[in-house]
Amino acid sequence: MFSGTQSLPSDDGGPRITGGTQTLLGQYPSAVIIETPYIIQNCMGTVVNRQHVLTAASCVMNPTTFVLINPFWLRVIAGDINITPVSARREVRNVIRSYVHPNYNRLTDGNNLAVLRVDVPYPEFHNTIEPALFNNRILADNTQCQFAGWGAAQNQDTAAVRPNQFVVTQPILTTASCNAANVHNNRVQQTMICAGALAAGQNAVCRGNMGGGLYCNGRLTGVLAFGLGCGVANQPAVYMDVRQYTQWIETQFTRTDNPPPGWTPPQPL
């Protein structure tokens, strides 16, 4: 998730991440890993009730053909802060439904959201798996928010994902500063939140973090949509503003249809 690395003793001798703070078991009980064969470093998501996970639409669309992939290929890992070693609290689920926002646009990342239904509900009273509460307030610029997850240290196709969950502080930035020509050049829409830093630094999201949650005042505020700059200057993260999508998200919980693999959203070509 961060851009810097340092060599620490480890079984594989690989790099470890600098910056941020390693989390404790149960500190971010709604953060999950979404395993997909289409993205090398996988994605992230957030448990929003006992049978549903919120993530980015781009995590469940084929990156080559741009169509909805078969949920059969997706798995959700919850209840753990380590990829290895495995905790006794880990719960692994298969995905049985993928509900992508009907107006998702892969060209602009507009409405980049998806709700996944898992095959077996998560157990109640599980102290390392807990649904996130939604933020329902407009937050002031420079509000200090947090992003917790697993990700790579470098923006490379072959970059390894660190095995432990870390949390970094991500201040909310002004939309105007993020839409500057040398930053995101007007890509940040009114349904999005920009957070992180304009200056280069280690505390930044990177490969493997797509679809992960931004927490402000302990509540789920954003879903990572783009801006995986891995700490380079002028590449802050951009999130879908959960507050503006709460009704759509909750409507997916009771859907009974099964969108077929191969579905594509209506968008400009």
Side-chain angles (χ1 to χ4, degrees):
M1 179 161 56
F2 316 111
S3 62
T5 60
Q6 64 178 359
S7 295
L8 294 178
S10 63
D11 292 339
D12 59 8
R16 289 296 177 263
I17 312 306
T18 60
T21 305
Q22 192 166 329
T23 63
L24 302 174
L25 198 62
Q27 188 175 354
Y28 289 91
S30 57
V32 300
I33 297 169
I34 298 175
E35 290 188 328
T36 168
Y38 295 92
I39 300 174
I40 294 175
Q41 288 87 7
N42 291 319
C43 272
M44 284 184 52
T46 305
V47 176
V48 289
N49 72 11
R50 288 187 61 207
Q51 203 171 358
H52 293 91
V53 170
L54 181 65
T55 188
S58 52
C59 288
V60 299
M61 305 295 287
N62 188 305
T64 302
T65 61
F66 312 117
V67 301
L68 183 68
I69 66 174
N70 192 326
F72 171 83
W73 297 108
L74 304 175
R75 287 201 321 162
V76 178
I77 299 175
D80 211 342
I81 55 173
N82 300 320
I83 296 176
T84 56
V86 175
S87 161
R89 305 296 293 177
R90 176 176 295 192
E91 297 277 347
V92 181
R93 297 289 187 269
N94 296 316
V95 176
I96 57 174
R97 296 286 189 276
S98 293
Y99 296 122
V100 172
H101 194 285
N103 296 319
Y104 166 58
N105 188 319
R106 67 177 177 83
L107 303 179
T108 66
D109 282 301
N111 305 302
N112 191 356
L113 288 175
V115 172
L116 310 183
R117 183 174 298 158
V118 297
D119 55 347
V120 179
Y122 292 113
E124 293 186 282
F125 311 114
H126 189 295
N127 61 10
T128 58
I129 302 175
E130 184 177 340
L133 298 175
F134 293 156
N135 170 64
N136 57 12
R137 298 181 178 181
I138 297 175
L139 298 175
D141 296 331
N142 203 41
T143 297
Q144 302 297 296
C145 303
Q146 289 75 40
F147 185 96
W150 309 259
Q154 298 172 332
N155 191 10
Q156 298 174 352
D157 289 341
T158 57
V161 174
R162 72 204 188 297
N164 308 114
Q165 184 188 71
F166 279 74
V167 59
V168 292
T169 298
Q170 300 284 276
I172 292 182
L173 302 173
T174 66
T175 300
S177 65
C178 290
N179 272 334
N182 65 328
V183 186
H184 288 309
N185 195 24
N186 291 321
R187 284 189 64 194
V188 183
Q189 303 173 17
Q190 60 88 20
T191 53
M192 300 173 178
I193 295 171
C194 188
L198 297 179
Q202 294 177 332
N203 294 338
V205 297
C206 195
R207 289 173 178 256
N209 295 147
M210 183 66 73
L214 179 72
Y215 298 84
C216 304
N217 301 319
R219 290 177 175 260
L220 179 65
T221 301
V223 172
L224 185 57
F226 67 91
L228 302 182
C230 302
V232 303
N234 296 322
Q235 285 294 311
V238 180
Y239 301 82
M240 302 311 303
D241 185 358
V242 169
R243 178 183 62 84
Q244 301 188 52
Y245 289 94
T246 300
Q247 183 176 0
W248 178 81
I249 294 167
E250 293 177 345
T251 299
Q252 309 316 298
F253 300 162
T254 55
R255 281 179 64 172
T256 58
D257 61 308
N258 187 10
W263 173 84
T264 182
Q267 63 183 8
L269 297 177

